[in-house]
Amino acid sequence: MTTNPDTICPCGNTKDDIALSYTYCCKPFHKGLALPSTPEILMRSRYSAFVLKEYEYLIATHHCDYLNGLTAQALAQSEEPNWLSLDILSTWSRGQSGEVCFQAWYQDGGELDAIHECSAFEFVDGRWFYTQGEQKAAILPKRNEPCVCNSGKKFKQCCMR
């Protein structure tokens, strides 16, 4: 998939409170030019890969012991929702293990929802890999919090309606 190099990266990562462009954020990972150095960076790059349909990257960063037959072709055939944003709730890593808890917001059929997951990661042969995740119920923003779609409006004036 071709993406405008000036496009803000779907993962929402920032540096000094300035949103990073795809070119300087997740693209080097997707194109095999760099490796994510932490579980959080891998999680962000995997979210961007879902948004941008970089299915080969998703398979390459998924630990082979946990794929359970999943292929890039199977991912390409599944219906994708309208991805809105990624919220990282917590992250840690110690030695060869790590975890990232996140909410990936999307709209599907006009309904707002999120994948709320605590994902496990393992560091093997100099690379981080996603292994598996524990699904949780989505936590909706409060009425006066910023909307998850990044419109700049309050949630009550935007996607809550």
Side-chain angles (χ1 to χ4, degrees):
M1 170 172 249
T2 53
T3 303
N4 180 332
D6 297 325
T7 300
I8 299 299
C9 192
C11 81
N13 209 355
T14 62
K15 183 175 181 181
D16 300 325
D17 290 330
I18 298 171
L20 295 174
S21 71
Y22 176 66
T23 298
Y24 295 105
C25 193
C26 291
K27 184 178 180 178
F29 307 128
H30 293 168
K31 300 305 176 195
L33 303 173
L35 295 174
S37 58
T38 67
E40 179 181 346
I41 294 171
L42 178 56
M43 180 66 243
R44 287 181 177 281
S45 68
R46 286 177 56 81
Y47 171 81
S48 290
F50 273 107
V51 173
L52 300 172
K53 300 175 176 25
E54 295 282 351
Y55 301 123
E56 294 292 338
Y57 179 79
L58 291 167
I59 298 302
T61 58
H62 198 128
H63 194 292
C64 61
D65 292 347
Y66 296 87
L67 275 171
N68 300 318
L70 184 64
T71 65
Q73 183 180 16
L75 287 170
Q77 292 175 350
S78 64
E79 273 192 50
E80 289 288 325
N82 177 27
W83 295 105
L84 300 174
S85 64
L86 175 67
D87 290 333
I88 302 294
L89 305 175
S90 66
T91 183
W92 64 263
S93 62
R94 282 187 289 283
Q96 308 302 102
S97 300
E99 180 182 86
V100 178
C101 295
F102 68 92
Q103 290 196 135
W105 292 97
Y106 65 90
Q107 283 186 323
D108 193 16
E111 295 293 317
L112 177 69
D113 204 355
I115 296 171
H116 181 177
E117 179 176 304
C118 288
S119 298
F121 296 86
E122 288 184 18
F123 193 71
V124 180
D125 296 329
R127 295 181 60 183
W128 284 103
F129 291 93
Y130 168 79
T131 58
Q132 58 189 347
E134 178 187 344
Q135 300 290 313
K136 300 178 178 249
I139 303 167
L140 290 173
K142 293 183 176 31
R143 295 170 34 87
N144 290 319
E145 290 181 343
C147 192
V148 298
C149 73
N150 294 319
S151 66
K153 297 178 183 178
K154 291 181 180 179
F155 183 59
K156 70 181 178 185
Q157 297 168 326
C158 197
C159 290
M160 182 179 170
R161 291 198 239 172

